[in-house]
């Protein structure tokens, strides 16, 4: 089993300080990121680069998000401990680990079985709890709805209706929308059930794909 070391801890702290100086997130989010050993989510050949602000390939042709993207999305989500949060696109489980470290009740969906198995193993290894599902993120997790927050970590061609329906009134969804590259969009569900959208900037995620069936 691989482990955390003072060298990785030092590199991680530097990365978090860099993300803070660039204004990506508040101390609350960066402290959570500082507690998650990102290198363990990567193949050993990438360990020495894990604390650079870079995306890396993971299994099933997917990627781990840039740390700056994880910081930014986590900040935009405005979570507090105990909130129910739905994540679409678990991948290797890094963003999931950061959200659980922030104290939320996490529900996360992934369509690649290999990554569901890998991320389950990783979260367990780190002692972090999440409800994980192998399935299609376009459908969300209706059994556990409504959610205080929804975070989509793959590029959505459009905002899935099922996800809007599963957002609590007063809730926030952060979703990169677009084909190819995307715009990060914040959607708030108002107390009367209407939605307010705000475009926040450019994003570049792997695409959100339709069910394989
Ligand atoms: N949250 C991850 C990012 C993973 S990359 C991190 O912490 O790094 C995006 C992930 O979305 C990929 O693993 C991909 O398989 C997944 N994905 C793509 N389309 C999906 C869909 N329709 N439903 C669920 N997951 C999907």
């Amino acid at each position: 089993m691989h482990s955390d070391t003072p060298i990785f801890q030092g590199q991680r702290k530097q990365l978090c300080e860099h993300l803070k100086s660039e204004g990506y997130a508040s101390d609350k989010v960066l402290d959570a990121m500082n507690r998650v050993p990102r290198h363990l989510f990567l193949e050993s050949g990438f360990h020495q680069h894990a604390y650079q602000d870079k995306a890396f390939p993971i299994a099933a042709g997917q990627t781990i998000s840039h740390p700056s993207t994880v910081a930014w999305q986590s900040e935009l989500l405005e979570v507090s401990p105990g909130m129910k949060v739905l994540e679409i696109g678990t991948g290797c489980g890094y963003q999931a680990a950061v959200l659980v470290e922030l104290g939320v009740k996490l529900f996360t969906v992934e369509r690649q079985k290999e990554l569901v198995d890998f991320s389950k193993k990783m979260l367990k290894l780190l002692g972090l709890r999440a409800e994980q599902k192998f399935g299609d993120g376009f459908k969300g997790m209706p059994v556990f709805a409504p959610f205080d927050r929804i975070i989509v970590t793959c590029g959505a061609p459009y905002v899935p209706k099922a996800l809007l329906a599963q957002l609590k009134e007063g809730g926030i969804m952060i979703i990169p929308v677009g084909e190819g590259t995307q715009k990060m969009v914040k959607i708030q569900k108002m107390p009367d059930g209407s939605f307010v959208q705000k475009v926040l900037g450019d994003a570049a995620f792997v695409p959100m794909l339709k069910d394989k069936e």
Side-chain angles (χ1 to χ4, degrees):
M1 195 192 85
H2 302 293
S3 58
D4 207 6
T5 66
I7 291 182
F8 287 130
Q9 286 162 10
Q11 291 176 346
R12 191 155 68 239
K13 195 153 182 274
Q14 271 192 348
L15 170 66
C16 291
E17 278 163 11
H18 167 73
L19 296 174
K20 183 179 171 142
S21 70
E22 295 287 315
Y24 282 105
S26 61
D27 285 347
K28 183 175 83 169
V29 166
L30 295 172
D31 288 348
M33 288 180 68
N34 197 32
R35 292 195 294 273
V36 180
R38 184 174 188 251
H39 64 282
L40 297 182
F41 291 83
L42 300 172
E43 282 173 26
S44 56
F46 294 122
H47 280 192
Q48 56 179 318
H49 307 295
Y51 298 103
Q52 296 169 14
D53 189 17
K54 288 187 179 158
F56 292 103
I58 54 170
Q62 303 303 318
T63 54
I64 184 171
S65 294
H66 283 74
S68 53
T69 304
V70 171
W72 188 36
Q73 275 198 301
S74 303
E75 185 69 29
L76 292 174
L77 216 52
E78 298 175 31
V79 294
S80 341
M83 278 185 173
K84 278 173 68 181
V85 179
L86 173 66
E87 179 193 33
I88 305 300
T90 321
C92 62
Y94 176 65
Q95 169 77 76
V98 171
L99 289 170
V100 178
E101 278 289 347
L102 281 163
V104 310
K105 281 193 215 154
L106 187 71
F107 301 80
T108 182
V109 187
E110 169 60 53
R111 72 188 277 285
Q112 299 279 359
K113 183 73 171 68
E114 199 181 343
L115 290 171
V116 176
D117 295 343
F118 175 83
S119 55
K120 265 191 187 162
K121 197 181 77 187
M122 281 309 303
L123 293 181
K124 195 169 171 211
L125 184 78
L126 297 174
L128 302 172
R129 273 167 168 274
E131 187 72 44
Q132 295 196 233
K133 187 180 170 198
F134 169 48
D136 180 10
F138 281 93
K139 296 177 184 150
M141 265 170 112
V143 178
F144 296 101
F147 299 97
D148 297 290
R149 302 286 185 263
I150 298 180
I151 174 173
V152 179
T153 68
C154 37
Y158 53 87
V159 181
K161 283 216 170 65
L163 299 186
L164 290 172
Q166 289 168 37
L167 192 59
K168 206 178 264 182
E169 278 153 23
I172 296 174
M173 172 163 23
I174 303 294
I175 177 168
V177 187
E179 317 253 7
T181 60
Q182 307 99 31
K183 295 283 179 198
M184 194 74 88
V185 179
K186 175 179 179 177
I187 300 174
Q188 265 179 297
K189 193 167 189 171
M190 296 291 129
D192 66 359
S194 66
F195 295 96
V196 174
Q197 288 203 19
K198 202 170 163 191
V199 176
L200 300 164
D202 295 325
F205 287 80
V206 295
M208 182 174 186
L209 301 173
K210 284 278 185 195
D211 229 355
K212 282 185 271 195
E213 62 195 7

